[in-house]
Amino acid sequence: IDQKYANEFRNIKNQIPDTSSRHDSSTEHVVTRQELEKQFDSWWGSLSTIEKGVFLQEQHDKICRELGIPPTKIYIADLKDTEILNYTLLDSIGGYDPDQNIIVIDIDNLNNDDPTAMLDVIAHETRHKFQWESAVEWRETGKIPSGVSEDTIKKWAWELDDENYIGGSIWHF
């Protein structure tokens, strides 16, 4: 499941169909992939912060439908980065908070990063949501989601315990 969605949502530009034979009927001009990417980047740049958030929410909702889990709300906030001597050590891009069942995206990254990076964050945090909910359900009912092995669900359950999570707390911005 992870690889499927990582590949599918890693780069929104890859979702643009092959345009080698697409023509603009008014001019008989072949529209290239490069032109579509430029149009997408221009479109993204023209969006307000709220509009970007709405777009990312829509992408998150699509992933959740595919995974068979309920979507969560995405919030935009100014997340604190970890710095030492004016050097950013950890750029807090976003995270999933299982206690509040929300995904938070950093406003600075949303407004300044490539849109594909933001889609990566949404796909990554949605995966954490799926892992968390799957591990909790497995612990409570023994049910393993379709496409997930027993070894994988056990690993997720173990990793999602705060003391086992690499880097410390699972929820840290």
Side-chain angles (χ1 to χ4, degrees):
I1 290 175
D2 180 40
Q3 189 61 43
K4 175 183 175 185
Y5 292 99
N7 289 337
E8 187 172 345
F9 291 96
R10 182 168 313 270
N11 188 335
I12 189 69
K13 294 173 186 174
N14 285 340
Q15 294 181 26
I16 300 170
D18 179 13
T19 60
S20 58
S21 62
R22 184 178 288 177
H23 294 274
D24 179 338
S25 60
S26 64
T27 63
E28 293 300 318
H29 171 73
V30 174
V31 180
T32 66
R33 180 177 198 85
Q34 184 178 11
E35 289 172 316
L36 286 176
E37 289 174 358
K38 186 175 177 182
Q39 289 173 9
F40 179 80
D41 289 345
S42 177
W43 169 78
W44 180 261
S46 73
L47 298 179
S48 69
T49 300
I50 292 172
E51 291 168 325
K52 290 175 183 177
V54 168
F55 176 77
L56 293 178
Q57 181 73 58
E58 290 169 351
Q59 301 312 304
H60 165 74
D61 294 354
K62 288 178 186 178
I63 298 169
C64 287
R65 277 193 299 275
E66 287 289 321
L67 291 171
I69 59 174
T72 188
K73 295 290 183 193
I74 294 176
Y75 290 89
I76 310 301
D78 189 9
L79 302 178
K80 183 179 179 189
D81 296 332
T82 303
E83 295 183 2
I84 295 178
L85 301 174
N86 295 324
Y87 178 75
T88 301
L89 297 177
L90 175 64
D91 183 12
S92 297
I93 299 172
Y96 170 62
D97 179 352
D99 295 330
Q100 296 184 61
N101 193 30
I102 62 171
I103 292 175
V104 181
I105 301 296
D106 180 56
I107 192 168
D108 298 324
N109 293 90
L110 180 68
N111 288 324
N112 298 313
D113 287 3
D114 184 282
T116 58
M118 294 294 89
L119 289 166
D120 282 349
V121 172
I122 292 299
H124 179 86
E125 298 309 328
T126 303
R127 178 179 185 269
H128 281 307
K129 174 183 169 53
F130 177 73
Q131 289 173 312
W132 182 272
E133 291 180 0
S134 298
V136 168
E137 183 174 4
W138 174 73
R139 285 179 176 159
E140 292 174 355
T141 68
K143 182 180 176 196
I144 300 173
S146 176
V148 177
S149 71
E150 185 174 355
D151 287 342
T152 298
I153 196 74
K154 287 178 180 179
K155 181 180 177 197
W156 289 351
W158 182 84
E159 289 174 343
L160 293 177
D161 282 335
D162 258 1
E163 62 271 8
N164 299 328
Y165 190 75
I166 297 172
S169 175
I170 189 168
W171 178 240
H172 57 86
F173 288 24

